[in-house]
Amino acid sequence: MVEGFDLIVFDWDGTLLDSAAAIAQAIQASCRDLGLPEPSDEQARYVIGLGLGEALRHAVPALREPDYPRIIERYRHHFLAMDHELRLFDGVPQLIAELAGRGRMLGVATGKSRVGLDRALAHTGLGAHFLATRCADECFSKPHPAMLEQLMDELGADPARTLMVGDTTHDMQMARNAGVAGLAVGFGAHPLAALEAEQPLACVRTPGDMARWLLERA
């Protein structure tokens, strides 16, 4: 087993799907549409992984409460315009299929909405491999431990035998809050130094490194 882990939970955007740049661009374009100050790439990437409402509150502090529905609508418009062009990182389909084939329980914990995740799972063909998933519109957003706690409860997994794989400090903080180990991937939304500061079990630099780290321990 992967370091004794029965359950491996993956973040989606920036971990399995190469979408961090598209999310940041959609946030910035939404601000331009509403004439709001545009966050930098770093600011926009920092909020990836949070629920959409919370992410926009952090990225666009000048946003007035009555404008939230409008900016959310604009964000979805811009993201969906790019959605069909997004691809899984190299090797991800093979990695997920191999882990599932070896009997690992696989889950997803994401800041996406349920509608968004279901669309992504269907589009990529990976849905059948994941036994359970949680989205930010179903429970507390990261770094609250609720997503991991609910997944472990549903699948009967012990925290000591659960691994969270993600590309943001929000993922690593959620893992710590839930009492599970974290594998940080440094090719997504947050820089490697920020991820290392969260003291994950390990930190990998490329999708290939992620696959090797997991499969060598399977």
Side-chain angles (χ1 to χ4, degrees):
M1 284 177 277
V2 178
E3 293 289 303
F5 297 121
D6 299 324
L7 170 61
I8 306 172
V9 180
F10 291 90
D11 170 59
W12 187 262
D13 289 303
T15 300
L16 299 181
L17 189 74
D18 188 2
S19 54
I23 293 172
Q25 291 166 15
I27 291 173
Q28 292 166 331
S30 302
C31 291
R32 292 194 296 272
D33 288 348
L34 272 65
L36 293 165
E38 186 177 329
S40 66
D41 285 346
E42 181 180 1
Q43 291 169 323
R45 282 174 171 265
Y46 175 77
V47 303
I48 292 173
L50 302 176
L52 182 54
E54 185 177 355
L56 291 170
R57 283 177 171 85
H58 278 85
V60 196
L63 187 64
R64 299 180 307 122
E65 194 67 31
D67 290 331
Y68 278 104
R70 176 63 172 159
I71 198 170
I72 287 173
E73 183 275 325
R74 297 314 298 161
Y75 168 84
R76 289 176 172 156
H77 167 80
H78 288 294
F79 184 77
L80 288 174
M82 298 179 279
D83 191 34
H84 66 285
E85 300 175 358
L86 302 178
R87 297 291 181 267
L88 296 166
F89 286 109
D90 288 345
V92 162
Q94 296 87 344
L95 170 64
I96 297 302
E98 179 67 19
L99 290 172
R102 296 186 188 188
R104 305 297 173 265
M105 293 189 295
L106 303 181
V108 173
T110 177
K112 298 182 83 65
S113 68
R114 169 52 60 189
V115 170
L117 179 62
D118 286 349
R119 182 178 62 247
L121 290 172
H123 177 70
T124 60
L126 294 185
H129 296 305
F130 293 105
L131 300 181
T133 61
R134 286 296 184 280
C135 300
D137 58 354
E138 297 171 332
C139 56
F140 291 109
S141 181
K142 304 171 185 178
H144 193 283
M147 290 188 196
L148 285 173
E149 290 173 343
Q150 290 182 16
L151 289 169
M152 289 187 290
D153 183 63
E154 179 175 343
L155 297 175
D158 188 276
R161 300 176 70 85
T162 298
L163 177 69
M164 177 67 205
V165 184
D167 68 311
T168 70
T169 55
H170 314 307
D171 294 312
M172 297 303 102
Q173 292 164 7
M174 177 177 65
R176 184 169 60 249
N177 291 340
V180 312
L183 173 63
V185 303
F187 49 82
H190 287 189
L192 195 63
L195 295 168
E196 290 173 336
E198 297 297 332
Q199 300 183 317
L201 179 64
C203 192
V204 295
R205 294 176 178 271
T206 69
D209 290 341
M210 175 179 70
R212 282 186 290 273
W213 193 96
L214 291 169
L215 294 176
E216 286 173 1
R217 292 160 176 79

